[in-house]
Amino acid sequence: MDEDRALLAGLLRHEAKANTYKFALVRALNDLALEHPLEAARDVVVPLRRVAERWLVFYWPFVGNRPVYQGARATRDGQQRQDISFREALTTLRGAWEALPHTRADPADGALLLAAYRAGRGQLPPALQAMTVHVLGRVARAVRQPVRYAGPGGQHGVFSPPAAARDLAGQPLPGTLPEELAFTVPGALWGTLQAMSLWVEALCVHEWSLFVERVEQAPAVTRGEVFSLLSASPAARLPLTWERHHVRLLMLEGQGFHCPWTGTRLVPGAFDLDHIIPVSVHPINELWNLVPSDPAHNMHVKRDRIPNAHRLGQALPELTATYQGYGQAAPLAQALEADASARFGLPLAPPLLARRVVQMAAAVAEARNVPRY
C-alpha cells in the first residue's frame, strides 16, 4: 500500500500537467472505488464512460457564464484552443439543464443531472437525455489523455491502453458492457483507493485548487474559490415523483411499509423517500438507496447523516421487507433489479440486497468520514 500511496502522491503533486485531467482521473477512480466495493484481488476493468460521468460532475462548476479555466489556452494555427476539449459541449448541457423549470444555477447540480441520467425513469426530457449521452462521449475521449500519460516509465505506465472491455483481463465494474472501451486499474492501487479514500479526495481537491489558482485568467481565482467549487454539495433534490407514486399505490393496495429507522408504520399521505446514503455525500437515486421513512425522523434526526452500525443492523429486517414490497409492483421490481445489478453486479434477493446496502452505507461513512447517529 505504501508504494501505491507514493504513486498517487506523485501523480497528484509532482508529475507535469498542462491541465487538470490527472487530478480528475484520480478523483474519479477514487469515487468509483468507493461506490463499487470490489475485492482488490484482481485488476479492475473501468469503462471510460464511468470516468466521464464523474468528470461531468467535477467540471460542471467551471463552465457556464463565468468560466474558470483549467489550464493554458494555447493558440495554434491562428486559433485559440480550449483548456478542456469538451468545454463548449458541457457549457451547452449546463445551459439546457438550468433552463428546466425545477433547476437553478448551482455549481453542484451536475451531480443531480448525473443521478437523473443514471436512474432513467423519465427524469430527464428526451432531448436532454440525448444531449447528456453526447457530452459523455466527448468527455470520454478526453479521459484517454491522462490514462495514457499518467505514471512513470512512459506511456501507459500505470493504466492499460483502452480496449474493448471483453478483451481486458480483470474484474469489470458492474454494468460494464463487453464492447465498450475500458482500461485496467491495478488491483493493489484499487485497494489503496478504497483504504485511503478520504486522504485521496483531500489531496486531489487541494492540488487541483493550487493548480487552477496559478492559471492565468480574468478575473483571477483563488485556491479557496476553486476549493469551494470542487467541494460543493447539491443544495436541491431531484423530485422523486415516479418512485413516490408507485410506493403510494402499493400502500393503497394494502402493502405495508415501516420506517427502517423508527419502525413506524407508514401511511400513503405521510411518508418520505429517504436516501440511505445522503445526497450530500453522493446523489444516488437508485431504488435500493430510496426507502419509505418517517418524515419527522428523516427531516429532524437523520438529515444528511448515515445511521451507525447498530442502527443499520437493526434496520436489516425492515430494509429486507421494503425491497420485498417493491417486488409486488412490476415497475418497482424492474427498477430495483436494474439498479441493484448496475451497482452490485447482479440481481440480489431482498435479504442479501439489504445486507449489501448496509455494508456499502457503512463503508461510505467510514471512507468519507460521514457523520453518524
Side-chain angles (χ1 to χ4, degrees), residues 70-144:
Q70 302 295 294
R73 291 168 290 147
T75 299
R76 296 178 185 173
D77 302 324
Q79 292 185 336
Q80 189 174 60
R81 303 294 180 93
Q82 286 289 5
D83 55 320
I84 51 177
S85 62
F86 49 87
R87 176 174 289 280
E88 183 178 349
L90 185 56
T91 298
T92 301
L93 179 63
R94 178 170 174 173
W97 165 265
E98 292 175 357
L100 296 178
H102 62 276
T103 63
R104 57 184 179 175
D106 188 279
D109 267 14
L112 296 183
L113 179 141
L114 180 64
Y117 167 77
R118 286 187 55 80
R121 303 196 274 276
Q123 291 185 335
L124 291 180
L128 191 56
Q129 185 85 4
M131 188 183 298
T132 304
V133 172
H134 169 73
V135 171
L136 288 173
R138 292 285 303 275
V139 178
R141 287 197 289 274
V143 172
R144 295 185 185 204

Side-chain angles (χ1 to χ4, degrees), residues 14-369:
H14 304 303
E15 286 200 3
K17 301 172 184 69
N19 53 36
T20 56
Y21 284 0
K22 286 182 182 177
F23 303 124
L25 175 61
V26 174
R27 194 182 185 200
L29 293 176
N30 191 46
D31 279 357
L32 292 172
L34 179 69
E35 296 174 8
H36 297 280
L38 304 175
E39 294 293 333
R42 294 188 291 159
D43 292 351
V44 179
V45 177
V46 178
L48 294 174
R49 166 180 59 89
R50 295 304 307 279
V51 176
E53 290 174 353
R54 301 308 309 156
W55 281 29
L56 183 152
V57 177
F58 300 159
Y59 285 102
W60 186 275
F62 300 126
V63 304
N65 293 330
R66 185 199 169 187
V68 178
Y69 294 108
Q70 302 295 294
R73 291 168 290 147
T75 299
R76 296 178 185 173
D77 302 324
Q79 292 185 336
Q80 189 174 60
R81 303 294 180 93
Q82 286 289 5
D83 55 320
I84 51 177
S85 62
F86 49 87
R87 176 174 289 280
E88 183 178 349
L90 185 56
T91 298
T92 301
L93 179 63
R94 178 170 174 173
W97 165 265
E98 292 175 357
L100 296 178
H102 62 276
T103 63
R104 57 184 179 175
D106 188 279
D109 267 14
L112 296 183
L113 179 141
L114 180 64
Y117 167 77
R118 286 187 55 80
R121 303 196 274 276
Q123 291 185 335
L124 291 180
L128 191 56
Q129 185 85 4
M131 188 183 298
T132 304
V133 172
H134 169 73
V135 171
L136 288 173
R138 292 285 303 275
V139 178
R141 287 197 289 274
V143 172
R144 295 185 185 204
Q145 185 199 62
V147 168
R148 182 179 184 181
Y149 292 110
Q155 297 180 16
H156 296 292
V158 176
F159 310 110
S160 73
R166 61 171 169 263
D167 297 329
L168 296 173
Q171 182 178 6
L173 280 189
T176 300
L177 303 175
E179 68 277 7
E180 69 178 321
L181 284 177
F183 62 99
T184 57
V185 178
L189 181 60
W190 191 264
T192 299
L193 291 171
Q194 291 176 322
M196 306 194 67
S197 180
L198 187 62
W199 176 82
V200 175
E201 169 74 5
L203 187 58
C204 279
V205 173
H206 174 72
E207 293 296 328
W208 193 330
S209 301
L210 294 180
F211 180 90
V212 174
E213 184 182 48
R214 295 192 294 268
V215 173
E216 184 178 348
Q217 50 194 311
V221 296
T222 66
R223 67 189 70 178
E225 291 171 318
V226 180
F227 179 88
S228 295
L229 293 174
L230 286 170
S231 58
S233 296
R237 301 289 186 268
L238 286 174
L240 300 172
T241 308
W242 185 91
E243 294 86 352
R244 284 190 60 87
H245 170 71
H246 285 289
V247 171
R248 184 172 180 274
L249 282 180
L250 276 175
M251 290 180 176
L252 291 172
E253 292 168 359
Q255 176 66 47
F257 288 98
H258 292 77
C259 174
W261 319 122
T262 66
T264 305
R265 183 176 177 87
L266 304 171
V267 296
F271 72 94
D272 276 356
L273 279 182
D274 172 37
H275 290 79
I276 299 173
I277 298 173
V279 171
S280 59
V281 179
H282 268 302
I284 300 174
N285 277 18
E286 295 161 19
L287 196 55
W288 57 264
N289 196 43
L290 300 171
V291 293
S293 68
D294 176 7
H297 183 86
N298 188 37
M299 183 178 300
H300 301 296
V301 181
K302 183 176 184 293
R303 297 176 294 172
D304 58 353
R305 300 184 291 177
I306 291 178
N308 60 32
H310 178 68
R311 285 183 184 272
L312 286 173
Q314 284 187 320
L316 271 171
E318 291 302 344
L319 290 175
T320 299
T322 294
Y323 299 144
Q324 289 171 335
Y326 289 168
Q328 303 308 304
L332 290 176
Q334 293 167 5
L336 183 62
E337 180 176 334
D339 290 350
S341 296
R343 180 64 54 177
F344 301 107
L346 70 168
L348 299 172
L352 181 56
L353 177 58
R355 287 196 292 273
R356 293 293 296 274
V357 169
V358 163
Q359 290 167 0
M360 181 173 176
V364 168
E366 180 177 357
R368 291 296 173 88
N369 196 25

